[in-house]
Amino acid sequence: MIKDKESPIRSCHFVYIVALVFGTIIQFSDESEFVVDMSKTSLIHVPKDLPPKTKVLDLSQNNISELHLSDISFLSGLRVLRLSHNRIQGLDISIFKFNHDLEYLDLSHNQLQKISCHPITTTLKHLDLSFNDFDALPICKEFGNLTQLNFLGLSATKLQQLDLLPIAHLHLSCILLDLEDYMKENKKESLQILNTKKLHLVFHPNSFFSVQVDISANSLGCLQLTNIKLNDYNCQVLLKFLSGLTGGPTLLNFTLNHMETTWKCLVKVFQFLWPKPIEYLNIYNLTIVESIDEEVFTYYKTTLKALKIEHITNKVFIFSQTALYTVFSEMNILMLTISDTRFIHMLCPQEPSTFKFLNFTQNSFTDSVFQNCDTLARLETLILQKNELKDLFKTSLMTKDMLSLETLDVSWNSLEYDRSNGNCSWVGSIVVLNLSSNALTDSVFRCLPPRIKVLDLHNNRIRSIPKDVTGLETLQELNLASNSLAHLPGCGIFSSLSILIIDYNSISNPSADFFQSCQKIRSLKVGNNPFQCSCELRDFIQSVGQVSSDVVEGWPESYKCDYPESYKGTPLKDFQVSELSCNTALLIVTIVVPGLVLAVAVTVLCIYLDLPWYLRMVCQWTQTRRRARNVPLEELQRTLQFHAFISYSEHDSAWVKNELIPNLEKEDIRICLHERNFVAGKSIVENIINCIEKSYKSIFVLSPNFVQSEWCHYELYFAHHNLFHEGSDNLILILLDPIPQYSIPSSYHKLRALMAQRTYLEWPKEKSKHGLFWANLRASINIKLMEKAAEIH
């Protein structure tokens, strides 16, 4: 999140070499047949079975001692060839004459002593012959035709002024000159280097610096020296060597790599370079030996903008901290980086400082650093990564006098914040704050700069964001990754939030309301959380699908179900669940409402058809029939005792007793009547069923009075039921008075059916027709009871 302001500094790290190599590899990595890597395979010669289409060939770190034309001539498309770290002793340039596309050739770290010069392909951009056994610089006049050459690596034990004349007209980006085996002679040698932007000189790693060659270079912008070993006696030798190289106005970047020196000599080097046109001074892998004493340093006007020292090994165990720190704290430059040195402190400048950028990554600074320091008012960026800061309140107090501070990085410390410490005292100018990889909890939101815009809190111990937090209206970017948050926070307290990073937390059901409350969000990263794929997640998935793909970073590959087990690993975009199982209202409408409708329908039907009544009758009929099955056979032969059972309404009893019974009994027809044949002690229903079963026929006297009688309804039901049970025609219907259809209750649907399906006898009002009526009635019941009983037997 916080960018090092030194990144645009011109350096001698040969970035263009890396770009060329990796760019070439990437270009062909899609087709494996174009790239052949046979490094570290103990080869003693170039394999003969290489694919003809090979474009990148790596044979480095083997035991190859010879190269022949036939080894690579058939590789017409070869562009990159690595042969470094082998045992090649001789090189005939003509072996590359058929490799017209060759751009990158690395023969460094071999045993080359001579080169046979021949014309070489003009496409070559990188040629490395460094770290070999050449006496003189291996420069062929044919190299002058390499107009596309960017990098040239060379080795030599002797130097002559015009060695590089054949390539003086080329505009090289970098020359690497290996002087590890340089042999010092009595006469002073010189070397003129023309038209290179970067020069890298490598000396012997274990020998004190003693090279006295006078090297001059035109248009040199970057100088790098590797393996500089100094003491108080040969320190001047280095300064003299640098005199010719550092005097040019174009040299802006100077790098010292793997430098061992005394503190006194190091200060002399600083003092020597202070008035030079160099703007950026870099020292990597610095070792300080012997002693550290207070040295006089004059900070006169300088063009130096930045000093970067990375990885200091201090072999002096007892020394004055002030003597060491004062030299750095008082420098009148803009940018200072001292990282990976294990410094335990840094002094506050005695006078108002010019520092705008300070980087003290990976030291041992504590909370006491820069406390009560009011001389860093121009400081804009302060980086204190990987130190030993513990108290966020003290850290905020440190900044209160840094009036221009905008960016603060205190990540990878052990910072905590206890609200009992009181209000934090941040300087109001901070807009970028990196508090990642500490031990901060939810309370950190009560200790933040008032104008913060970019806040990094990833990899802490935050479980939630307090809802009563205020003063974060200007926050635009918030990184809460790798914490323990269970919910996706909204933007209620972050009204200006546009970037939210909240992956690797404990969020299982992010709310879809996030997108409504965060209208200004343009980048959301919430992947790699333990998503619970349930109904609650559907709305969030739908919301994600409605926003631009540029907003939700990592979608869909970083968004997968973690629970339940059956969905584990399923991308959220493929999670499907029915609307019915998630929508409670719809579920109620789909299941409950039809159930209610059915219940109402059944209830209405029961009421309309009087089903409870019928159920009760079925129950009683069944019980009676069960008892009948248990009756002995002798009793069964005597069950038919009457010719007919008469069912009538009491309102029609006068007709029944005065007309119907007398006319039937005079013909010896035995009639069963409830008032004379019901058995005392038995229920009415049981008596009705017994009478019907003991009668061959059941006569129903129908009238408007009949349909109003419940007992008549019972008798009709049981008689009709017995009809189906016995399989006989035992019902006789006599219509005494006409019955309008509308007057028949709905529960008498059996009566309706019987009147519609069966023939009934209608009592005529004319006396002349009575004779025919009685004849028909007697005929319908004319049967001998004993015969019927015999049939049953």
Side-chain angles (χ1 to χ4, degrees):
M1 181 181 69
I2 297 177
K3 298 181 179 179
D4 192 332
K5 290 188 178 180
E6 294 175 279
S7 59
I9 297 175
R10 305 175 183 89
S11 67
C12 293
H13 294 167
F14 311 119
V15 176
Y16 67 94
I17 301 175
V18 177
L20 174 63
V21 176
F22 286 93
T24 305
I25 294 174
I26 292 172
Q27 185 175 357
F28 303 110
S29 60
D30 293 339
E31 302 181 60
S32 58
E33 63 176 324
F34 290 162
V35 180
V36 177
D37 184 357
M38 303 187 72
S39 61
K40 301 180 182 179
T41 54
S42 302
L43 296 174
I44 59 174
H45 56 75
V46 179
K48 302 298 183 182
D49 56 349
L50 295 172
K53 294 183 179 181
T54 299
K55 296 185 181 297
V56 177
L57 177 59
D58 190 349
L59 298 173
S60 61
Q61 302 188 59
N62 282 294
N63 297 313
I64 300 173
S65 59
E66 292 182 331
L67 292 178
H68 303 284
L69 178 64
S70 60
D71 290 338
I72 58 173
S73 59
F74 64 96
L75 304 176
S76 58
L78 188 65
R79 297 182 61 177
V80 176
L81 177 59
R82 294 192 188 87
L83 285 162
S84 62
H85 296 87
N86 276 280
R87 298 181 179 180
I88 303 172
Q89 297 180 357
L91 176 63
D92 188 344
I93 296 294
S94 64
I95 66 172
F96 304 111
K97 62 182 179 180
F98 295 112
N99 306 111
H100 301 297
D101 296 331
L102 189 62
E103 297 180 358
Y104 186 100
L105 178 59
D106 186 355
L107 287 160
S108 63
H109 297 279
N110 276 277
Q111 300 172 9
L112 289 172
Q113 298 178 353
K114 61 179 180 178
I115 290 181
S116 298
C117 295
H118 295 279
I120 189 172
T121 173
T122 58
T123 59
L124 204 62
K125 297 178 181 179
H126 181 102
L127 176 59
D128 195 349
L129 299 170
S130 60
F131 302 99
N132 278 284
D133 298 334
F134 297 111
D135 288 333
L137 292 178
I139 299 295
C140 297
K141 63 178 181 179
E142 288 81 2
F143 289 180
N145 298 324
L146 302 178
T147 55
Q148 298 186 45
L149 193 65
N150 287 320
F151 173 86
L152 178 61
L154 302 170
S155 294
T157 59
K158 299 178 182 179
L159 300 176
Q160 294 185 8
Q161 183 174 2
L162 301 180
D163 282 349
L164 297 178
L165 185 61
I167 60 171
H169 61 286
L170 299 180
H171 295 277
L172 300 176
S173 295
C174 183
I175 292 179
L176 169 61
L177 186 55
D178 164 35
L179 297 177
E180 282 192 4
D181 298 322
Y182 175 74
M183 298 177 61
K184 179 182 177 182
E185 296 184 352
N186 292 330
K187 65 176 183 178
K188 185 177 181 180
E189 296 181 341
S190 62
L191 178 65
Q192 186 174 9
I193 301 176
L194 303 174
N195 296 327
T196 183
K197 296 178 181 178
K198 304 175 182 66
L199 176 62
H200 184 186
L201 302 175
V202 182
F203 303 99
H204 197 285
N206 298 319
S207 299
F208 283 102
F209 186 85
S210 61
V211 177
Q212 300 186 34
V213 178
D214 183 9
I215 299 178
S216 60
N218 295 338
S219 305
L220 188 63
C222 179
L223 174 64
Q224 179 174 352
L225 305 183
T226 297
N227 299 330
I228 308 297
K229 189 173 183 180
L230 302 170
N231 54 30
D232 292 342
Y233 301 101
N234 74 332
C235 186
Q236 196 62 33
V237 178
L238 174 65
L239 300 182
K240 188 174 182 181
F241 176 80
L242 293 175
S243 298
L245 286 170
T246 59
T250 59
L251 181 63
L252 302 180
N253 195 305
F254 182 36
T255 299
L256 294 167
N257 192 23
H258 291 287
M259 181 180 186
E260 180 181 311
T261 180
T262 63
W263 174 250
K264 181 177 182 179
C265 183
L266 180 62
V267 174
K268 285 185 178 181
V269 172
F270 289 155
Q271 193 73 79
F272 172 80
L273 297 174
W274 219 251
K276 300 295 182 180
I278 296 172
E279 295 183 358
Y280 303 97
L281 174 59
N282 311 296
I283 303 177
Y284 302 103
N285 300 296
L286 172 65
T287 301
I288 300 177
V289 297
E290 296 186 8
S291 64
I292 298 177
D293 300 312
E294 187 171 347
E295 303 292 337
V296 177
F297 191 88
T298 306
Y299 300 98
Y300 39 71
K301 186 177 181 180
T302 181
T303 59
L304 190 67
K305 295 179 179 178
L307 170 63
K308 177 191 287 186
I309 304 178
E310 291 187 359
H311 190 71
I312 297 179
T313 301
N314 186 8
K315 294 186 176 182
V316 182
F317 301 105
I318 301 177
F319 61 94
S320 169
Q321 299 286 341
T322 303
L324 178 66
Y325 299 145
T326 301
V327 171
F328 298 111
S329 65
E330 303 303 320
M331 287 184 172
N332 54 334
I333 58 178
L334 299 178
M335 293 178 280
L336 174 63
T337 297
I338 302 178
S339 63
D340 192 15
T341 67
R342 294 304 170 189
F343 279 10
I344 62 173
H345 195 60
M346 178 53 61
L347 297 178
C348 177
Q350 298 178 6
E351 302 293 334
S353 176
T354 58
F355 288 134
K356 290 188 176 182
F357 177 94
L358 289 177
N359 182 355
F360 296 111
T361 297
Q362 201 165 344
N363 286 286
S364 301
F365 290 1
T366 65
D367 298 315
S368 62
V369 68
F370 297 134
Q371 293 295 336
N372 300 314
C373 182
D374 59 359
T375 56
L376 292 172
R378 298 178 61 184
L379 186 64
E380 297 176 356
T381 299
L382 176 59
I383 302 176
L384 295 173
Q385 287 185 13
K386 298 181 179 179
N387 279 275
E388 297 181 8
L389 307 179
K390 295 182 179 180
D391 191 340
L392 186 61
F393 174 76
K394 291 183 179 179
T395 301
S396 71
L397 199 62
M398 173 187 65
T399 69
K400 68 182 182 65
D401 294 320
M402 300 176 182
L403 304 181
S404 301
L405 188 64
E406 295 182 353
T407 301
L408 175 63
D409 186 347
V410 287
S411 59
W412 292 99
N413 281 276
S414 301
L415 288 170
E416 296 180 349
Y417 175 64
D418 185 352
R419 282 180 289 177
S420 63
N421 287 340
N423 295 326
C424 295
S425 302
W426 299 102
V427 66
S429 57
I430 295 179
V431 293
V432 179
L433 178 59
N434 190 341
L435 294 172
S436 64
S437 300
N438 281 286
L440 298 167
T441 60
D442 304 359
S443 59
V444 67
F445 288 95
R446 308 184 191 281
C447 180
L448 294 173
R451 294 171 51 199
I452 188 74
K453 292 183 179 179
V454 180
L455 176 61
D456 191 342
L457 284 167
H458 83 269
N459 193 25
N460 275 282
R461 301 174 184 175
I462 301 172
R463 294 182 176 273
S464 64
I465 299 176
K467 294 183 178 180
D468 58 344
V469 172
T470 59
L472 297 176
E473 292 80 7
T474 60
L475 188 63
Q476 299 175 4
E477 179 178 342
L478 176 60
N479 188 344
L480 288 168
S482 302
N483 278 280
S484 301
L485 289 164
H487 302 285
L488 181 62
C491 295
I493 58 177
F494 310 126
S495 56
S496 300
L497 192 66
S498 61
I499 298 176
L500 176 61
I501 303 172
I502 198 167
D503 51 349
Y504 294 101
N505 273 272
S506 301
I507 300 173
S508 58
N509 291 307
S511 173
D513 296 337
F514 170 83
F515 295 98
Q516 296 180 356
S517 65
C518 299
Q519 298 292 330
K520 296 181 180 180
I521 203 75
R522 57 182 176 84
S523 178
L524 173 66
K525 193 172 184 180
V526 69
N528 299 296
N529 273 286
F531 295 111
Q532 181 176 350
C533 287
S534 59
C535 293
E536 290 78 6
L537 200 63
R538 293 171 67 250
D539 292 338
F540 175 77
I541 297 174
Q542 293 174 359
S543 298
V544 170
Q546 294 172 359
V547 300
S548 171
S549 58
D550 296 333
V551 173
V552 185
E553 294 189 26
W555 179 269
E557 60 273 6
S558 298
Y559 297 76
K560 297 181 179 179
C561 300
D562 188 73
Y563 181 85
E565 200 65 31
S566 57
Y567 283 104
K568 190 176 182 66
T570 302
L572 296 194
K573 69 178 182 64
D574 297 331
F575 171 64
Q576 300 289 339
V577 63
S578 67
E579 181 71 24
L580 180 62
S581 61
C582 291
N583 193 323
T584 304
L586 182 61
L587 185 64
I588 292 175
V589 170
T590 306
I591 297 178
V592 177
V593 171
L596 290 175
V597 172
L598 179 61
V600 171
V602 170
T603 302
V604 171
L605 187 63
C606 288
I607 295 173
Y608 179 77
L609 299 178
D610 202 7
L611 288 182
W613 183 88
Y614 282 108
L615 290 175
R616 188 166 63 252
M617 293 302 101
V618 169
C619 180
Q620 294 185 2
W621 169 264
T622 304
Q623 291 175 354
T624 303
R625 295 299 302 176
R626 185 181 297 112
R627 288 194 298 271
R629 284 196 298 269
N630 296 328
V631 175
L633 182 61
E634 295 77 10
E635 295 184 16
L636 181 63
Q637 293 176 352
R638 298 192 299 270
T639 55
L640 293 179
Q641 301 175 12
F642 305 100
H643 286 93
F645 168 74
I646 299 177
S647 176
Y648 60 93
S649 171
E650 287 297 325
H651 297 287
D652 299 325
S653 62
W655 183 84
V656 171
K657 294 177 180 180
N658 297 327
E659 294 287 345
L660 179 61
I661 294 176
N663 278 284
L664 293 178
E665 288 184 340
K666 70 180 181 179
E667 298 293 336
D668 295 327
I669 296 175
R670 300 178 62 183
I671 302 299
C672 178
L673 293 174
H674 63 272
E675 60 264 29
R676 70 185 183 189
N677 295 112
F678 277 13
V679 179
K682 291 185 179 182
S683 66
I684 295 177
V685 173
E686 190 172 359
N687 274 306
I688 292 173
I689 294 175
N690 288 335
C691 285
I692 291 175
E693 288 187 339
K694 291 178 181 179
S695 302
Y696 174 59
K697 295 286 184 176
S698 294
I699 300 173
F700 291 89
V701 180
L702 305 180
S703 69
N705 297 320
F706 182 93
V707 299
Q708 300 300 322
S709 172
E710 183 176 359
W711 289 113
C712 290
H713 190 195
Y714 287 160
E715 292 167 350
L716 178 63
Y717 174 82
F718 289 129
H720 183 260
H721 196 79
N722 189 59
L723 169 67
F724 286 99
H725 180 75
E726 298 292 342
S728 60
D729 189 6
N730 59 0
L731 294 181
I732 298 175
L733 303 180
I734 297 176
L735 184 61
L736 182 61
D737 293 314
I739 304 175
Q741 284 288 328
Y742 64 84
S743 66
I744 302 177
S746 59
S747 58
Y748 280 54
H749 66 280
K750 288 186 179 296
L751 177 60
R752 291 173 181 267
L754 288 172
M755 293 183 67
Q757 298 172 2
R758 302 180 64 85
T759 302
Y760 52 85
L761 298 175
E762 186 174 356
W763 173 251
K765 300 301 180 182
E766 301 86 348
K767 288 186 177 182
S768 59
K769 297 180 180 179
H770 286 179
L772 180 60
F773 171 82
W774 296 119
N776 290 334
L777 179 60
R778 285 193 298 270
S780 62
I781 57 176
N782 185 21
I783 188 171
K784 295 181 180 180
L785 295 178
M786 292 306 295
E787 292 178 358
K788 184 63 180 176
E791 291 177 5
I792 297 174
H793 177 70

